[in-house]
Amino acid sequence: MACFTRLIAFAFAAASLFVASPSWSMNMEYALVIHGGAGTITRDNMTAETEAAYRAALTEALRAGQEVLASGGTALDAVGATIMVMEDSPLFNAGKGAVFTNDGRNELDAAIMDGKTLNAGAIAGVTRVRNPIQLARAVMDKSPHVMLAGAGAEEFAREQNITLVSPTYFFTQRRFDQLRAVQENDKDALMLDHDGDHKYGTVGAVALDKDGNLAAGTSTGGLTNKKWGRIGDSPIIGAGTYASNKSCGVSGTGTGEYFIRLTIAREICALMEYKGYSAQEAADEVVQKRLTEIGGDGGVIVLDHDGSAAYSFNTEGMYRAHLNSANPDPVIGIYGE
Ligand code: ASP
C-alpha cells in the first residue's frame, strides 16, 4: 500500500512537471504571483459554481495587489493587500476561512518578508487577529523581533491598533463539519486542508515592484485538528516564506512539517543564488524531487528579481494565479494541466 501511495505520488510529481509556468519578458515593471493552497483539487471533485467562486476570489486578490504595484507602491504593500483579500474570504484556509484545532478553536499563522532588506515579521497561534498578515507586517516594521506568538502577539496587536475580533468571527459551519468528520474517524488524526474532498487552502503572494524589490507573504490556519500549539511552515522564515532581491521570493503550501525540515523556501532561493538555477529549475528540484522523496506534498510559487515566475507542486492541483505589467490580466490555474 505504501509502495502504491508512493507510486501515485511520483506519478503526480511527474505530471505536474508539465504544468505550464508563466514566462515573462525581462523588462516588465511589476509582477505578482499568488496561491490559494495545493492538494486534492481535480475537475471530478469541483463543481462549476465552486470553480467560478475560486476564480473570482483569486482575481479580486490579484487586482488588489496590482492596484498597489501599478501606482508605484511597494512589493510589501502589494503582498499585504493581496493576502488580506484572501484572508477575508471564507474560501481559503486563512483568516475568516481558517480550519479548526482539536479543541474547536482557530489558531492563525502568517509571515511577510522584504527581499530588499531581509527584514521579516511573523506571528503564530493568534486567535483574535482579523488579518494576520497585517500583524506580521507590524512585527517587522514596529518591533525589534521577527516572530511573536500567542497572547503576546495579541497584546502587541492591541498596542498597534490592529483590528481584533471575537474568536467567533472565524466560525464557519463547513470548517467545523470538517473537524467533526476528521475526529469521528480518529480523534487525533491531522488533516492537511486539501486532503480527501477538501479543496481550500493556505494563501500566499510574491510581488516584484517598480523599484525592483521582491516581497513574499503567507497566511494560514494550519492543519485541521492540530493541537499542542502546533505551528507549521507558513510563519517560519526560510520554510514557508522567503524573499531576497539576490535570488527570489517564495511562498509555499503543503505538509508543513516537511517544508520546515527542508527549509523549502530558502532552499529554492539558495539554488538560484549559488548554483544559477532558474526559478522553475529550483522549484522543481526542491518540490518534485526533494519534497517528494521524503514523503511531503504541496507546492510553491516563486518569482525572481527579473519577474520570471514559476509554480511547482506534487499534488493534483494548486490554486494559483499571476499577472504583470506586460500582461495585466489575471492568468488562473487550478488543476494539474
Ligand atoms: N503549510 C500549512 C501548514 O502546515 C498548511 C497548508 O499549506 O495548508 O500549516
Side-chain angles (χ1 to χ4, degrees):
M1 187 61 197
C3 181
F4 177 73
T5 313
R6 191 150 283 270
L7 261 176
I8 296 287
F10 274 103
F12 283 129
S16 55
L17 279 172
F18 299 106
V19 170
S21 274
S23 79
W24 297 328
S25 77
M26 303 302 264
N27 56 2
M28 77 200 51
E29 291 195 321
Y30 66 80
L32 179 61
V33 193
I34 65 174
H35 72 79
T40 315
I41 307 166
T42 64
R43 284 202 170 77
D44 292 346
N45 61 19
M46 179 79 75
T47 65
E49 213 177 27
T50 307
E51 182 174 330
Y54 274 96
R55 286 182 176 278
L58 291 167
T59 301
E60 191 190 341
L62 271 182
R63 292 292 190 212
Q66 182 180 34
E67 208 178 305
V68 174
L69 294 168
S71 59
T74 65
L76 277 170
D77 285 347
V79 163
T82 303
I83 290 181
M84 275 174 71
V85 170
M86 292 192 274
E87 286 177 340
D88 288 344
S89 163
L91 292 178
F92 303 103
N93 174 19
K96 173 70 186 155
V99 298
F100 281 87
T101 61
N102 180 268
D103 58 357
R105 298 169 346 123
N106 310 91
E107 291 177 357
L108 314 171
D109 308 329
I112 192 162
M113 185 161 184
D114 180 4
K116 182 183 175 191
T117 59
L118 301 189
N119 284 338
I123 51 121
V126 297
T127 58
R128 304 175 63 94
V129 178
R130 177 175 162 158
N131 291 108
I133 197 71
Q134 208 183 8
L135 183 56
R137 177 74 189 268
V139 171
M140 182 178 98
D141 290 346
K142 308 274 176 53
S143 88
H145 307 299
V146 169
M147 191 174 204
L148 300 179
E154 283 175 6
E155 189 184 325
F156 176 70
R158 224 167 275 122
E159 283 174 20
Q160 296 298 321
N161 292 321
I162 301 273
T163 306
L164 296 177
V165 290
S166 154
T168 57
Y169 165 81
F170 300 104
F171 181 90
T172 55
Q173 192 61 49
R174 181 164 41 187
R175 294 299 192 197
F176 197 67
D177 293 346
Q178 277 176 13
L179 175 68
R180 288 283 171 259
V182 170
Q183 290 182 333
E184 251 164 46
N185 288 333
D186 173 353
K187 72 176 176 36
D188 291 327
L190 279 171
M191 191 185 75
L192 183 64
D193 193 37
H194 334 284
D195 288 349
D197 284 340
H198 305 293
K199 321 175 196 74
Y200 316 106
T202 291
V203 305
V206 186
L208 174 73
D209 64 29
K210 287 185 177 178
D211 292 329
N213 293 317
L214 286 164
T218 311
S219 182
T220 190
L223 301 182
T224 297
N225 209 24
K226 66 185 181 181
K227 59 182 180 181
W228 304 315
R230 181 266 182 193
I231 295 164
D233 59 309
S234 309
I236 297 181
I237 298 301
T241 308
Y242 195 77
S244 165
N245 280 4
K246 286 201 171 127
S247 49
C248 67
V250 179
S251 172
T253 174
T255 43
E257 281 69 10
Y258 295 86
F259 278 60
I260 294 171
R261 291 181 187 118
L262 288 174
T263 56
I264 290 260
R266 175 60 196 152
E267 188 83 346
I268 290 170
C269 293
L271 285 172
M272 293 174 67
E273 188 175 341
Y274 302 131
K275 296 269 194 182
Y277 281 46
S278 69
Q280 191 65 57
E281 287 166 348
D284 285 342
E285 169 70 26
V286 172
V287 173
Q288 309 298 337
K289 205 160 157 240
R290 301 185 193 183
L291 180 66
T292 306
E293 273 168 10
I294 67 163
D297 55 23
V300 295
I301 54 172
V302 186
L303 190 61
D304 77 12
H305 45 61
D306 293 322
S308 294
Y311 301 119
S312 194
F313 50 95
N314 66 1
T315 48
E316 291 92 327
M318 179 166 81
Y319 294 109
R320 58 198 185 276
H322 65 271
L323 54 70
N324 60 57
S325 52
N327 299 290
D329 288 324
V331 178
I332 297 174
I334 297 178
Y335 311 108
E337 75 276 5

